[in-house]
Amino acid sequence: MPPFLLQLLLALALAGLTFVVSYPLALRDGRSVDVLDALLLVCALVNLRLGWAAANQAYGGRTPAWFLAGGLLAAALITSSMIHALTPR
């Protein structure tokens, strides 16, 4: 198992964890945003970035296709989850 695969899996696990946990923060007008989800997604994004850099370095500047597909899927999941977490409800 390549060492950067763990970082990709951790990013996916953190993004998936946001569907289970929640900590809403009340805004002034009675609406709320989900602060815990936003924090978990930032950590997931950092792990994805570190894994992407490690994959590029390990293969001479070319990320493997399987990591590229998994990374783009993780980035899409993180982006949609972040929009959902930070949209006031």
Side-chain angles (χ1 to χ4, degrees), residues 3-89:
F4 48 84
L5 178 62
L6 181 62
Q7 290 173 319
L8 176 63
L9 293 176
L10 186 59
L12 286 170
L14 286 171
L17 187 62
T18 61
F19 294 110
V20 180
V21 299
S22 175
Y23 185 79
L25 176 69
L27 301 175
R28 288 186 182 175
D29 56 354
R31 299 184 304 174
S32 66
V33 294
D34 200 338
V35 178
L36 181 60
D37 285 357
L39 178 67
L40 289 172
L41 290 166
V42 167
C43 292
L45 192 59
V46 168
N47 275 310
L48 181 61
R49 178 63 184 113
L50 291 174
W52 199 286
N56 273 332
Q57 186 177 13
Y59 290 96
R62 296 187 58 105
T63 304
W66 62 266
F67 190 86
L68 181 65
L72 289 176
L73 177 69
L77 180 64
I78 291 169
T79 302
S80 66
S81 297
M82 185 65 85
I83 290 170
H84 180 71
L86 294 179
T87 301
R89 289 175 234 144

